[in-house]
Amino acid sequence: MRITQPRIAILTFLINRGEPTSIEQIHGHLAVGSCDLVTVYRCLAAFEGIGIVRRSFYHNGTSLYEINLGDTNRYHVVCKTTDRVVPIDPELTAELRQTIGKIEENLHAQGYTGVTHVAEFFGIAPAPNRGANVTVPTP
Amino acid sequence: MRITQPRIAILTFLINRGEPTSIEQIHGHLAVGSCDLVTVYRCLAAFEGIGIVRRSFYHNGTSLYEINLGDTNRYHVVCKTTDRVVPIDPELTAELRQTIGKIEENLHAQGYTGVTHVAEFFGIAPAPNRGANVTVPTP
DNA sequence: TTGAGTGCAAAGGATTTGCAGGTTC
DNA sequence: GAACCTGCAAATCCTTTGCACTCAA
């Protein structure tokens, strides 16, 4: 896997962002003309393949990508109105992670390989929460 | 909401199937010519709207639909190779449901409305498990 | 009767693929 | 220099929309 300008740009962006982000948004935030939309698709697929990014889904089925920091899974609520992504309460996240871990273990025990999962919450954020300093799109 | 032939057929199929199923598969299992693919899309959207079916996603982002039996959420593993759907261990399902319930409560408490979630597991089933009597496509 | 539902065709949006030209190693 | 990567264009796949017709209520 070669280190190229577009890949550096995409990865840098994802690291700074630290949240599931749509391909369009990723592409939109890269310097104009620095990287084709198709290249973003291809790079993210490659990144997912080697495990440095994780893919999840928006409630309409389109893809979201985020940096994969080991198994420190994070879970989020995505606002259906604004697309803003807010992390779930840490304690509950820990609990969820634990339960999901058990399930994945159980599946491995049954002989499943390459087990992955997707867990997303969607809802309409209360107006005051919208635009919180959680997700400030990098200009 | 009117009771029509296509709706009866789709609902009957989903009830018998009892598992998340793709639109294509649903359409493919209905009597040929009995219902247009577009109608399947529209019916499922309508069913989802009134809450009698639930939507989830396959690992490639396409939709899966299943009958919504109250709030007795069920969670599944989808085999990436065969698309077969197998329910998660009941105890673990209960635990997962409980945790997710807490998270949704927490979100409501924060002011979120219309909270929904998606939780899916994907993996490659061990060969002996493939073709288990879990998902017998209705002829 | 009459408006919700349907089928067909065509549009739309997201993602993938083909191929020539560029860039990394 | 060779292989991998990129950009552009076009194709593909899934899903939605428009419109005239049909059918359940």
Side-chain angles (χ1 to χ4, degrees):
Chain A
M1 154 108 33
R2 293 187 179 167
I3 298 170
T4 65
Q5 284 311 309
R7 290 180 178 182
I8 293 170
I10 293 169
L11 233 32
T12 304
F13 174 73
L14 285 179
I15 290 167
N16 288 332
R17 178 154 257 242
E19 298 170 355
T21 309
S22 72
I23 298 230
E24 281 236 332
Q25 282 187 81
I26 295 169
H27 180 243
H29 284 83
L30 301 178
V32 280
S34 68
C35 177
D36 194 79
L37 178 61
V38 174
T39 299
V40 180
Y41 274 98
R42 284 197 270 226
C43 289
L44 289 171
F47 293 160
E48 190 190 10
I50 62 172
I52 58 177
V53 305
R54 196 175 334 127
R55 181 194 209 182
S56 55
F57 296 102
Y58 190 49
H59 70 288
N60 61 7
T62 58
S63 297
L64 299 173
Y65 289 90
E66 73 180 313
I67 278 291
N68 187 3
L69 303 166
D71 50 12
T72 34
N73 288 357
R74 288 172 60 199
Y75 300 98
H76 310 83
V77 213
V78 184
C79 176
K80 290 181 194 173
T81 307
T82 63
D83 289 8
R84 287 196 177 265
V85 181
V86 178
I88 298 292
D89 172 85
E91 277 186 35
L92 294 172
T93 297
E95 189 174 328
L96 180 58
R97 193 182 305 150
Q98 196 184 327
T99 303
I100 286 179
K102 280 193 206 171
I103 292 174
E104 294 193 335
E105 257 174 51
N106 176 268
L107 292 174
H108 281 129
Q110 286 179 51
Y112 279 85
T113 57
V115 173
T116 60
H117 73 276
V118 162
E120 303 276 345
F121 293 84
F122 306 103
I124 299 168
N129 272 26
R130 290 183 193 160
N133 63 354
V134 179
T135 301
V136 181
T138 317
Chain B
M1 157 104 37
R2 293 187 179 168
I3 297 170
T4 65
Q5 284 311 308
R7 290 180 177 182
I8 293 171
I10 294 169
L11 233 33
T12 304
F13 174 73
L14 286 178
I15 290 167
N16 288 333
R17 178 153 259 243
E19 300 171 354
T21 309
S22 72
I23 298 228
E24 282 235 331
Q25 283 187 78
I26 295 169
H27 180 243
H29 283 85
L30 301 179
V32 280
S34 69
C35 177
D36 194 79
L37 178 60
V38 174
T39 299
V40 180
Y41 274 96
R42 285 196 270 228
C43 289
L44 289 171
F47 293 159
E48 189 189 9
I50 61 172
I52 57 175
V53 304
R54 192 170 344 123
R55 180 195 210 181
S56 55
F57 296 103
Y58 191 47
H59 70 288
N60 60 7
T62 57
S63 297
L64 299 173
Y65 289 90
E66 73 180 312
I67 278 292
N68 188 2
L69 303 165
D71 52 8
T72 33
N73 286 358
R74 288 172 59 198
Y75 299 98
H76 310 83
V77 213
V78 184
C79 176
K80 291 180 193 174
T81 307
T82 63
D83 289 10
R84 285 195 180 267
V85 181
V86 178
I88 298 290
D89 171 87
E91 278 187 32
L92 293 172
T93 296
E95 189 174 328
L96 180 59
R97 194 182 305 149
Q98 196 182 328
T99 303
I100 286 178
K102 280 193 205 172
I103 292 174
E104 294 193 336
E105 258 174 49
N106 176 268
L107 292 174
H108 280 129
Q110 286 179 51
Y112 279 85
T113 56
V115 174
T116 60
H117 73 277
V118 163
E120 302 277 344
F121 293 83
F122 306 104
I124 299 169
N129 271 26
R130 292 182 192 159
N133 63 352
V134 178
T135 301
V136 181
T138 317

